[in-house]
Amino acid sequence: MDLVISPDVAAAKSSGKPIVALESTIVAHGLPWPDNLPIARELEDAVRAAGAVPATIAIIDGKPCVGLDAETLELLARDGAKLSKAGAIDIAVHMARKTSAATTVSATSALANRYGIRVFATGGIGGVHRGDAGDVSHDLVALARTPIAVVSAGAKSILDLGRTLEMLETLGVLVIGYRTNEFPAFYTATSGLQLDHRVDSAAELATIIRTHWSLGGGGVLVANPIPDEAALDGDMIAAAIESAVAEASARDVHGKRLTPFLLARLAEVTGGASIRANRALAINDATVAGELAVALRASDRL
Ligand code: PSU
Ligand code: MN
């Protein structure tokens, strides 16, 4: 596959520096312009501060790009709403037609894996939507079959988190709570859903993940809760989510538009508080992903 690799990502690869993939849908569709551009940069900076090299992934004019230059990142942020949103299923269509798209967790994981990147940070993965429409993000199946560690604040709480966690188990995604016993609820640290595994250091995460892959295992979800000081009030955000979900169904919003619609509605209803929380949790994920990539690299040498 023709991947376009940025100079700094290529240099990191050839010198054996740890690399962390970042997705572009969170920038293009998950967060509004102009807040999204500084956040996209801060995510890259957090990976660097942890000692790894960021590789933000998107499809530009049909070329899957691993690592974006400053202008391309700005274009994604500014024109994001006009761009397509590509899951792993859609990559070939964009490549053949030479069109551009932001990549979701599933597409980013697939492309990162092609380039041998083992760690990926995002805000929250997709999952099982609420209600009975049967809308289940392709993120879950893609994660199950791709050997990559995704650090995220659980799944986005606009979803049915209980069913999402059950589906992760069914598909065989290893879920590890990072310094938590519970599946995080994106805007809040706890969901009441207990996890089977908790790990407290990046070094132990690296050991477990390495062993998991040596056994032929696939994706690992490192569930990293939002920092306490950034968490939203549970009752406030729960009510906001219910009203956003009701509005989506009243307006018959579904498919790829549903998640961006819900996130945008939440930003309005909470007066921007959901955006500030999303920023904080995503940066925290980028930091932990950087630390994990460094620890995995160190254990390569053992
Ligand atoms: N994390 C965020 N904001 C986002 C997303 C993740 O903090 O917008 C994106 C990811 O790209 C994820 C997508 O793959 O939302 C899920 O979309 P869907 O439910 O349509 O599969
Ligand atoms: Mn969907």
PDB file of all heavy atoms in Angstrom, residues 223-262:
ATOM      1  N   ALA A 223      -7.791   1.588  29.067  1.00  0.00           N
ATOM      2  CA  ALA A 223      -8.867   2.492  29.485  1.00  0.00           C
ATOM      3  C   ALA A 223      -8.323   3.441  30.547  1.00  0.00           C
ATOM      4  O   ALA A 223      -8.060   3.046  31.683  1.00  0.00           O
ATOM      5  CB  ALA A 223     -10.043   1.669  30.013  1.00  0.00           C
ATOM      6  N   ASN A 224      -8.151   4.683  30.138  1.00  0.00           N
ATOM      7  CA  ASN A 224      -7.421   5.678  30.927  1.00  0.00           C
ATOM      8  C   ASN A 224      -8.386   6.806  31.314  1.00  0.00           C
ATOM      9  O   ASN A 224      -8.759   7.614  30.462  1.00  0.00           O
ATOM     10  CB  ASN A 224      -6.280   6.206  30.031  1.00  0.00           C
ATOM     11  CG  ASN A 224      -5.408   7.221  30.712  1.00  0.00           C
ATOM     12  OD1 ASN A 224      -5.097   7.110  31.887  1.00  0.00           O
ATOM     13  ND2 ASN A 224      -4.984   8.226  29.950  1.00  0.00           N
ATOM     14  N   PRO A 225      -8.797   6.861  32.580  1.00  0.00           N
ATOM     15  CA  PRO A 225      -9.840   7.830  32.939  1.00  0.00           C
ATOM     16  C   PRO A 225      -9.421   9.292  32.813  1.00  0.00           C
ATOM     17  O   PRO A 225      -8.241   9.625  32.949  1.00  0.00           O
ATOM     18  CB  PRO A 225     -10.149   7.502  34.410  1.00  0.00           C
ATOM     19  CG  PRO A 225      -9.233   6.441  34.829  1.00  0.00           C
ATOM     20  CD  PRO A 225      -8.376   6.010  33.687  1.00  0.00           C
ATOM     21  N   ILE A 226     -10.392  10.136  32.570  1.00  0.00           N
ATOM     22  CA  ILE A 226     -10.172  11.585  32.561  1.00  0.00           C
ATOM     23  C   ILE A 226      -9.576  11.991  33.915  1.00  0.00           C
ATOM     24  O   ILE A 226      -9.968  11.453  34.953  1.00  0.00           O
ATOM     25  CB  ILE A 226     -11.511  12.315  32.295  1.00  0.00           C
ATOM     26  CG1 ILE A 226     -11.297  13.825  32.146  1.00  0.00           C
ATOM     27  CG2 ILE A 226     -12.563  12.038  33.372  1.00  0.00           C
ATOM     28  CD1 ILE A 226     -12.533  14.574  31.625  1.00  0.00           C
ATOM     29  N   PRO A 227      -8.602  12.906  33.923  1.00  0.00           N
ATOM     30  CA  PRO A 227      -8.054  13.367  35.215  1.00  0.00           C
ATOM     31  C   PRO A 227      -9.157  13.990  36.077  1.00  0.00           C
ATOM     32  O   PRO A 227     -10.051  14.663  35.547  1.00  0.00           O
ATOM     33  CB  PRO A 227      -7.024  14.427  34.808  1.00  0.00           C
ATOM     34  CG  PRO A 227      -6.706  14.161  33.373  1.00  0.00           C
ATOM     35  CD  PRO A 227      -7.930  13.535  32.779  1.00  0.00           C
ATOM     36  N   ASP A 228      -9.096  13.774  37.397  1.00  0.00           N
ATOM     37  CA  ASP A 228     -10.136  14.248  38.329  1.00  0.00           C
ATOM     38  C   ASP A 228     -10.491  15.709  38.138  1.00  0.00           C
ATOM     39  O   ASP A 228     -11.666  16.073  38.111  1.00  0.00           O
ATOM     40  CB  ASP A 228      -9.663  14.067  39.783  1.00  0.00           C
ATOM     41  CG  ASP A 228      -9.896  12.647  40.257  1.00  0.00           C
ATOM     42  OD1 ASP A 228     -10.718  11.944  39.619  1.00  0.00           O
ATOM     43  OD2 ASP A 228      -9.248  12.241  41.245  1.00  0.00           O
ATOM     44  N   GLU A 229      -9.454  16.540  37.990  1.00  0.00           N
ATOM     45  CA  GLU A 229      -9.713  17.988  37.962  1.00  0.00           C
ATOM     46  C   GLU A 229     -10.449  18.412  36.688  1.00  0.00           C
ATOM     47  O   GLU A 229     -11.032  19.493  36.636  1.00  0.00           O
ATOM     48  CB  GLU A 229      -8.408  18.788  38.142  1.00  0.00           C
ATOM     49  CG  GLU A 229      -7.355  18.599  37.047  1.00  0.00           C
ATOM     50  CD  GLU A 229      -6.504  17.338  37.188  1.00  0.00           C
ATOM     51  OE1 GLU A 229      -6.806  16.477  38.047  1.00  0.00           O
ATOM     52  OE2 GLU A 229      -5.529  17.198  36.415  1.00  0.00           O
ATOM     53  N   ALA A 230     -10.447  17.555  35.672  1.00  0.00           N
ATOM     54  CA  ALA A 230     -11.105  17.904  34.410  1.00  0.00           C
ATOM     55  C   ALA A 230     -12.468  17.242  34.255  1.00  0.00           C
ATOM     56  O   ALA A 230     -13.227  17.568  33.336  1.00  0.00           O
ATOM     57  CB  ALA A 230     -10.208  17.507  33.233  1.00  0.00           C
ATOM     58  N   ALA A 231     -12.798  16.298  35.144  1.00  0.00           N
ATOM     59  CA  ALA A 231     -14.037  15.524  34.983  1.00  0.00           C
ATOM     60  C   ALA A 231     -15.261  16.426  35.135  1.00  0.00           C
ATOM     61  O   ALA A 231     -15.263  17.384  35.908  1.00  0.00           O
ATOM     62  CB  ALA A 231     -14.081  14.403  36.016  1.00  0.00           C
ATOM     63  N   LEU A 232     -16.311  16.130  34.373  1.00  0.00           N
ATOM     64  CA  LEU A 232     -17.556  16.892  34.460  1.00  0.00           C
ATOM     65  C   LEU A 232     -18.443  16.295  35.552  1.00  0.00           C
ATOM     66  O   LEU A 232     -18.261  15.142  35.959  1.00  0.00           O
ATOM     67  CB  LEU A 232     -18.290  16.847  33.111  1.00  0.00           C
ATOM     68  CG  LEU A 232     -17.552  17.492  31.936  1.00  0.00           C
ATOM     69  CD1 LEU A 232     -18.413  17.420  30.678  1.00  0.00           C
ATOM     70  CD2 LEU A 232     -17.179  18.949  32.248  1.00  0.00           C
ATOM     71  N   ASP A 233     -19.423  17.089  35.977  1.00  0.00           N
ATOM     72  CA  ASP A 233     -20.397  16.588  36.937  1.00  0.00           C
ATOM     73  C   ASP A 233     -21.224  15.478  36.286  1.00  0.00           C
ATOM     74  O   ASP A 233     -21.782  15.671  35.202  1.00  0.00           O
ATOM     75  CB  ASP A 233     -21.294  17.740  37.387  1.00  0.00           C
ATOM     76  CG  ASP A 233     -22.376  17.259  38.329  1.00  0.00           C
ATOM     77  OD1 ASP A 233     -22.049  16.983  39.491  1.00  0.00           O
ATOM     78  OD2 ASP A 233     -23.540  17.104  37.881  1.00  0.00           O
ATOM     79  N   GLY A 234     -21.299  14.333  36.951  1.00  0.00           N
ATOM     80  CA  GLY A 234     -21.946  13.153  36.367  1.00  0.00           C
ATOM     81  C   GLY A 234     -23.404  13.380  36.005  1.00  0.00           C
ATOM     82  O   GLY A 234     -23.851  13.008  34.916  1.00  0.00           O
ATOM     83  N   ASP A 235     -24.170  13.993  36.915  1.00  0.00           N
ATOM     84  CA  ASP A 235     -25.605  14.208  36.653  1.00  0.00           C
ATOM     85  C   ASP A 235     -25.815  15.205  35.523  1.00  0.00           C
ATOM     86  O   ASP A 235     -26.691  15.027  34.674  1.00  0.00           O
ATOM     87  CB  ASP A 235     -26.311  14.727  37.913  1.00  0.00           C
ATOM     88  CG  ASP A 235     -26.352  13.665  38.997  1.00  0.00           C
ATOM     89  OD1 ASP A 235     -26.212  12.463  38.654  1.00  0.00           O
ATOM     90  OD2 ASP A 235     -26.505  14.024  40.181  1.00  0.00           O
ATOM     91  N   MET A 236     -24.975  16.244  35.516  1.00  0.00           N
ATOM     92  CA  MET A 236     -25.107  17.279  34.482  1.00  0.00           C
ATOM     93  C   MET A 236     -24.879  16.666  33.095  1.00  0.00           C
ATOM     94  O   MET A 236     -25.690  16.837  32.177  1.00  0.00           O
ATOM     95  CB  MET A 236     -24.082  18.395  34.760  1.00  0.00           C
ATOM     96  CG  MET A 236     -24.113  19.578  33.802  1.00  0.00           C
ATOM     97  SD  MET A 236     -23.269  19.339  32.224  1.00  0.00           S
ATOM     98  CE  MET A 236     -21.552  19.454  32.719  1.00  0.00           C
ATOM     99  N   ILE A 237     -23.785  15.912  32.953  1.00  0.00           N
ATOM    100  CA  ILE A 237     -23.457  15.387  31.620  1.00  0.00           C
ATOM    101  C   ILE A 237     -24.433  14.270  31.219  1.00  0.00           C
ATOM    102  O   ILE A 237     -24.793  14.144  30.048  1.00  0.00           O
ATOM    103  CB  ILE A 237     -21.966  14.948  31.515  1.00  0.00           C
ATOM    104  CG1 ILE A 237     -21.565  14.750  30.052  1.00  0.00           C
ATOM    105  CG2 ILE A 237     -21.639  13.738  32.352  1.00  0.00           C
ATOM    106  CD1 ILE A 237     -21.539  15.997  29.213  1.00  0.00           C
ATOM    107  N   ALA A 238     -24.895  13.506  32.215  1.00  0.00           N
ATOM    108  CA  ALA A 238     -25.869  12.447  31.889  1.00  0.00           C
ATOM    109  C   ALA A 238     -27.146  13.053  31.313  1.00  0.00           C
ATOM    110  O   ALA A 238     -27.702  12.557  30.318  1.00  0.00           O
ATOM    111  CB  ALA A 238     -26.186  11.612  33.134  1.00  0.00           C
ATOM    112  N   ALA A 239     -27.608  14.153  31.913  1.00  0.00           N
ATOM    113  CA  ALA A 239     -28.827  14.814  31.411  1.00  0.00           C
ATOM    114  C   ALA A 239     -28.581  15.406  30.025  1.00  0.00           C
ATOM    115  O   ALA A 239     -29.432  15.312  29.132  1.00  0.00           O
ATOM    116  CB  ALA A 239     -29.261  15.905  32.393  1.00  0.00           C
ATOM    117  N   ALA A 240     -27.403  15.992  29.838  1.00  0.00           N
ATOM    118  CA  ALA A 240     -27.078  16.589  28.532  1.00  0.00           C
ATOM    119  C   ALA A 240     -27.044  15.503  27.451  1.00  0.00           C
ATOM    120  O   ALA A 240     -27.543  15.707  26.337  1.00  0.00           O
ATOM    121  CB  ALA A 240     -25.740  17.316  28.614  1.00  0.00           C
ATOM    122  N   ILE A 241     -26.468  14.357  27.773  1.00  0.00           N
ATOM    123  CA  ILE A 241     -26.397  13.259  26.799  1.00  0.00           C
ATOM    124  C   ILE A 241     -27.810  12.776  26.448  1.00  0.00           C
ATOM    125  O   ILE A 241     -28.144  12.587  25.281  1.00  0.00           O
ATOM    126  CB  ILE A 241     -25.522  12.097  27.327  1.00  0.00           C
ATOM    127  CG1 ILE A 241     -24.055  12.544  27.378  1.00  0.00           C
ATOM    128  CG2 ILE A 241     -25.687  10.849  26.457  1.00  0.00           C
ATOM    129  CD1 ILE A 241     -23.128  11.576  28.094  1.00  0.00           C
ATOM    130  N   GLU A 242     -28.661  12.626  27.478  1.00  0.00           N
ATOM    131  CA  GLU A 242     -30.026  12.166  27.189  1.00  0.00           C
ATOM    132  C   GLU A 242     -30.749  13.111  26.247  1.00  0.00           C
ATOM    133  O   GLU A 242     -31.437  12.673  25.326  1.00  0.00           O
ATOM    134  CB  GLU A 242     -30.818  11.982  28.481  1.00  0.00           C
ATOM    135  CG  GLU A 242     -30.569  10.595  29.028  1.00  0.00           C
ATOM    136  CD  GLU A 242     -31.422  10.260  30.232  1.00  0.00           C
ATOM    137  OE1 GLU A 242     -32.593  10.712  30.265  1.00  0.00           O
ATOM    138  OE2 GLU A 242     -30.910   9.559  31.106  1.00  0.00           O
ATOM    139  N   SER A 243     -30.569  14.406  26.464  1.00  0.00           N
ATOM    140  CA  SER A 243     -31.282  15.336  25.581  1.00  0.00           C
ATOM    141  C   SER A 243     -30.687  15.311  24.176  1.00  0.00           C
ATOM    142  O   SER A 243     -31.418  15.392  23.187  1.00  0.00           O
ATOM    143  CB  SER A 243     -31.360  16.746  26.189  1.00  0.00           C
ATOM    144  OG  SER A 243     -30.242  17.501  25.830  1.00  0.00           O
ATOM    145  N   ALA A 244     -29.360  15.173  24.072  1.00  0.00           N
ATOM    146  CA  ALA A 244     -28.735  15.109  22.741  1.00  0.00           C
ATOM    147  C   ALA A 244     -29.178  13.849  21.985  1.00  0.00           C
ATOM    148  O   ALA A 244     -29.479  13.898  20.789  1.00  0.00           O
ATOM    149  CB  ALA A 244     -27.214  15.146  22.873  1.00  0.00           C
ATOM    150  N   VAL A 245     -29.238  12.725  22.693  1.00  0.00           N
ATOM    151  CA  VAL A 245     -29.655  11.464  22.058  1.00  0.00           C
ATOM    152  C   VAL A 245     -31.117  11.565  21.599  1.00  0.00           C
ATOM    153  O   VAL A 245     -31.461  11.146  20.487  1.00  0.00           O
ATOM    154  CB  VAL A 245     -29.447  10.268  23.026  1.00  0.00           C
ATOM    155  CG1 VAL A 245     -30.125   9.008  22.501  1.00  0.00           C
ATOM    156  CG2 VAL A 245     -27.952  10.007  23.258  1.00  0.00           C
ATOM    157  N   ALA A 246     -31.960  12.184  22.436  1.00  0.00           N
ATOM    158  CA  ALA A 246     -33.379  12.340  22.065  1.00  0.00           C
ATOM    159  C   ALA A 246     -33.506  13.228  20.829  1.00  0.00           C
ATOM    160  O   ALA A 246     -34.296  12.948  19.925  1.00  0.00           O
ATOM    161  CB  ALA A 246     -34.168  12.938  23.233  1.00  0.00           C
ATOM    162  N   GLU A 247     -32.696  14.275  20.783  1.00  0.00           N
ATOM    163  CA  GLU A 247     -32.774  15.169  19.633  1.00  0.00           C
ATOM    164  C   GLU A 247     -32.305  14.465  18.353  1.00  0.00           C
ATOM    165  O   GLU A 247     -32.898  14.631  17.287  1.00  0.00           O
ATOM    166  CB  GLU A 247     -31.929  16.414  19.884  1.00  0.00           C
ATOM    167  CG  GLU A 247     -32.213  17.441  18.826  1.00  0.00           C
ATOM    168  CD  GLU A 247     -31.652  18.805  19.171  1.00  0.00           C
ATOM    169  OE1 GLU A 247     -31.384  19.064  20.360  1.00  0.00           O
ATOM    170  OE2 GLU A 247     -31.474  19.587  18.225  1.00  0.00           O
ATOM    171  N   ALA A 248     -31.253  13.670  18.472  1.00  0.00           N
ATOM    172  CA  ALA A 248     -30.773  12.932  17.296  1.00  0.00           C
ATOM    173  C   ALA A 248     -31.866  12.023  16.767  1.00  0.00           C
ATOM    174  O   ALA A 248     -32.068  11.924  15.555  1.00  0.00           O
ATOM    175  CB  ALA A 248     -29.517  12.137  17.653  1.00  0.00           C
ATOM    176  N   SER A 249     -32.578  11.350  17.668  1.00  0.00           N
ATOM    177  CA  SER A 249     -33.577  10.422  17.141  1.00  0.00           C
ATOM    178  C   SER A 249     -34.779  11.184  16.604  1.00  0.00           C
ATOM    179  O   SER A 249     -35.354  10.788  15.582  1.00  0.00           O
ATOM    180  CB  SER A 249     -33.923   9.330  18.159  1.00  0.00           C
ATOM    181  OG  SER A 249     -34.915   9.755  19.022  1.00  0.00           O
ATOM    182  N   ALA A 250     -35.128  12.307  17.225  1.00  0.00           N
ATOM    183  CA  ALA A 250     -36.236  13.119  16.694  1.00  0.00           C
ATOM    184  C   ALA A 250     -35.916  13.627  15.289  1.00  0.00           C
ATOM    185  O   ALA A 250     -36.795  13.721  14.433  1.00  0.00           O
ATOM    186  CB  ALA A 250     -36.525  14.293  17.626  1.00  0.00           C
ATOM    187  N   ARG A 251     -34.644  13.939  15.052  1.00  0.00           N
ATOM    188  CA  ARG A 251     -34.259  14.470  13.735  1.00  0.00           C
ATOM    189  C   ARG A 251     -33.771  13.378  12.781  1.00  0.00           C
ATOM    190  O   ARG A 251     -33.246  13.669  11.706  1.00  0.00           O
ATOM    191  CB  ARG A 251     -33.132  15.478  13.891  1.00  0.00           C
ATOM    192  CG  ARG A 251     -33.549  16.730  14.614  1.00  0.00           C
ATOM    193  CD  ARG A 251     -32.708  17.862  14.068  1.00  0.00           C
ATOM    194  NE  ARG A 251     -32.391  18.847  15.062  1.00  0.00           N
ATOM    195  CZ  ARG A 251     -31.417  19.747  14.917  1.00  0.00           C
ATOM    196  NH1 ARG A 251     -30.642  19.731  13.846  1.00  0.00           N
ATOM    197  NH2 ARG A 251     -31.207  20.630  15.845  1.00  0.00           N
ATOM    198  N   ASP A 252     -33.865  12.119  13.250  1.00  0.00           N
ATOM    199  CA  ASP A 252     -33.465  10.973  12.445  1.00  0.00           C
ATOM    200  C   ASP A 252     -32.003  11.069  11.986  1.00  0.00           C
ATOM    201  O   ASP A 252     -31.679  10.766  10.831  1.00  0.00           O
ATOM    202  CB  ASP A 252     -34.404  10.811  11.235  1.00  0.00           C
ATOM    203  CG  ASP A 252     -34.259   9.431  10.598  1.00  0.00           C
ATOM    204  OD1 ASP A 252     -33.904   8.483  11.335  1.00  0.00           O
ATOM    205  OD2 ASP A 252     -34.480   9.307   9.375  1.00  0.00           O
ATOM    206  N   VAL A 253     -31.128  11.489  12.876  1.00  0.00           N
ATOM    207  CA  VAL A 253     -29.690  11.516  12.561  1.00  0.00           C
ATOM    208  C   VAL A 253     -29.134  10.125  12.830  1.00  0.00           C
ATOM    209  O   VAL A 253     -29.322   9.577  13.923  1.00  0.00           O
ATOM    210  CB  VAL A 253     -28.950  12.538  13.455  1.00  0.00           C
ATOM    211  CG1 VAL A 253     -27.467  12.543  13.123  1.00  0.00           C
ATOM    212  CG2 VAL A 253     -29.545  13.928  13.285  1.00  0.00           C
ATOM    213  N   HIS A 254     -28.486   9.549  11.823  1.00  0.00           N
ATOM    214  CA  HIS A 254     -27.935   8.214  12.037  1.00  0.00           C
ATOM    215  C   HIS A 254     -26.682   8.029  11.184  1.00  0.00           C
ATOM    216  O   HIS A 254     -26.273   8.948  10.454  1.00  0.00           O
ATOM    217  CB  HIS A 254     -28.977   7.137  11.726  1.00  0.00           C
ATOM    218  CG  HIS A 254     -29.523   7.260  10.339  1.00  0.00           C
ATOM    219  ND1 HIS A 254     -30.677   7.965  10.054  1.00  0.00           N
ATOM    220  CD2 HIS A 254     -29.044   6.831   9.149  1.00  0.00           C
ATOM    221  CE1 HIS A 254     -30.892   7.939   8.747  1.00  0.00           C
ATOM    222  NE2 HIS A 254     -29.915   7.263   8.169  1.00  0.00           N
ATOM    223  N   GLY A 255     -26.088   6.843  11.251  1.00  0.00           N
ATOM    224  CA  GLY A 255     -24.887   6.538  10.453  1.00  0.00           C
ATOM    225  C   GLY A 255     -23.694   7.365  10.904  1.00  0.00           C
ATOM    226  O   GLY A 255     -23.569   7.712  12.084  1.00  0.00           O
ATOM    227  N   LYS A 256     -22.841   7.707   9.961  1.00  0.00           N
ATOM    228  CA  LYS A 256     -21.597   8.408  10.295  1.00  0.00           C
ATOM    229  C   LYS A 256     -21.830   9.763  10.945  1.00  0.00           C
ATOM    230  O   LYS A 256     -20.947  10.300  11.592  1.00  0.00           O
ATOM    231  CB  LYS A 256     -20.757   8.624   9.024  1.00  0.00           C
ATOM    232  CG  LYS A 256     -20.040   7.400   8.524  1.00  0.00           C
ATOM    233  CD  LYS A 256     -19.199   7.792   7.316  1.00  0.00           C
ATOM    234  CE  LYS A 256     -18.728   6.588   6.525  1.00  0.00           C
ATOM    235  NZ  LYS A 256     -17.578   5.920   7.110  1.00  0.00           N
ATOM    236  N   ARG A 257     -23.008  10.346  10.697  1.00  0.00           N
ATOM    237  CA  ARG A 257     -23.266  11.687  11.239  1.00  0.00           C
ATOM    238  C   ARG A 257     -23.632  11.662  12.716  1.00  0.00           C
ATOM    239  O   ARG A 257     -23.605  12.684  13.381  1.00  0.00           O
ATOM    240  CB  ARG A 257     -24.395  12.358  10.443  1.00  0.00           C
ATOM    241  CG  ARG A 257     -23.964  12.820   9.052  1.00  0.00           C
ATOM    242  CD  ARG A 257     -25.128  13.476   8.302  1.00  0.00           C
ATOM    243  NE  ARG A 257     -25.744  14.530   9.099  1.00  0.00           N
ATOM    244  CZ  ARG A 257     -27.063  14.647   9.330  1.00  0.00           C
ATOM    245  NH1 ARG A 257     -27.908  13.775   8.829  1.00  0.00           N
ATOM    246  NH2 ARG A 257     -27.531  15.637  10.054  1.00  0.00           N
ATOM    247  N   LEU A 258     -24.017  10.492  13.217  1.00  0.00           N
ATOM    248  CA  LEU A 258     -24.574  10.457  14.579  1.00  0.00           C
ATOM    249  C   LEU A 258     -23.571  10.907  15.647  1.00  0.00           C
ATOM    250  O   LEU A 258     -23.868  11.798  16.446  1.00  0.00           O
ATOM    251  CB  LEU A 258     -25.115   9.049  14.889  1.00  0.00           C
ATOM    252  CG  LEU A 258     -25.701   8.867  16.293  1.00  0.00           C
ATOM    253  CD1 LEU A 258     -26.831   9.861  16.555  1.00  0.00           C
ATOM    254  CD2 LEU A 258     -26.211   7.434  16.499  1.00  0.00           C
ATOM    255  N   THR A 259     -22.377  10.301  15.667  1.00  0.00           N
ATOM    256  CA  THR A 259     -21.412  10.656  16.706  1.00  0.00           C
ATOM    257  C   THR A 259     -21.033  12.146  16.637  1.00  0.00           C
ATOM    258  O   THR A 259     -21.103  12.837  17.668  1.00  0.00           O
ATOM    259  CB  THR A 259     -20.187   9.718  16.635  1.00  0.00           C
ATOM    260  OG1 THR A 259     -20.632   8.391  16.948  1.00  0.00           O
ATOM    261  CG2 THR A 259     -19.100  10.127  17.614  1.00  0.00           C
ATOM    262  N   PRO A 260     -20.672  12.684  15.450  1.00  0.00           N
ATOM    263  CA  PRO A 260     -20.376  14.121  15.407  1.00  0.00           C
ATOM    264  C   PRO A 260     -21.555  14.996  15.843  1.00  0.00           C
ATOM    265  O   PRO A 260     -21.371  16.008  16.516  1.00  0.00           O
ATOM    266  CB  PRO A 260     -20.029  14.372  13.921  1.00  0.00           C
ATOM    267  CG  PRO A 260     -19.579  13.053  13.416  1.00  0.00           C
ATOM    268  CD  PRO A 260     -20.387  12.031  14.172  1.00  0.00           C
ATOM    269  N   PHE A 261     -22.777  14.603  15.469  1.00  0.00           N
ATOM    270  CA  PHE A 261     -23.966  15.369  15.871  1.00  0.00           C
ATOM    271  C   PHE A 261     -24.087  15.409  17.394  1.00  0.00           C
ATOM    272  O   PHE A 261     -24.286  16.466  17.996  1.00  0.00           O
ATOM    273  CB  PHE A 261     -25.237  14.748  15.257  1.00  0.00           C
ATOM    274  CG  PHE A 261     -26.515  15.404  15.718  1.00  0.00           C
ATOM    275  CD1 PHE A 261     -27.034  16.495  15.035  1.00  0.00           C
ATOM    276  CD2 PHE A 261     -27.185  14.932  16.849  1.00  0.00           C
ATOM    277  CE1 PHE A 261     -28.213  17.117  15.470  1.00  0.00           C
ATOM    278  CE2 PHE A 261     -28.357  15.559  17.296  1.00  0.00           C
ATOM    279  CZ  PHE A 261     -28.868  16.648  16.606  1.00  0.00           C
ATOM    280  N   LEU A 262     -23.938  14.248  18.017  1.00  0.00           N
ATOM    281  CA  LEU A 262     -24.094  14.180  19.476  1.00  0.00           C
ATOM    282  C   LEU A 262     -23.013  15.009  20.181  1.00  0.00           C
ATOM    283  O   LEU A 262     -23.296  15.746  21.132  1.00  0.00           O
ATOM    284  CB  LEU A 262     -24.036  12.719  19.952  1.00  0.00           C
ATOM    285  CG  LEU A 262     -25.227  11.838  19.527  1.00  0.00           C
ATOM    286  CD1 LEU A 262     -24.961  10.380  19.886  1.00  0.00           C
ATOM    287  CD2 LEU A 262     -26.524  12.322  20.195  1.00  0.00           C
TER     288      LEU A 262
END
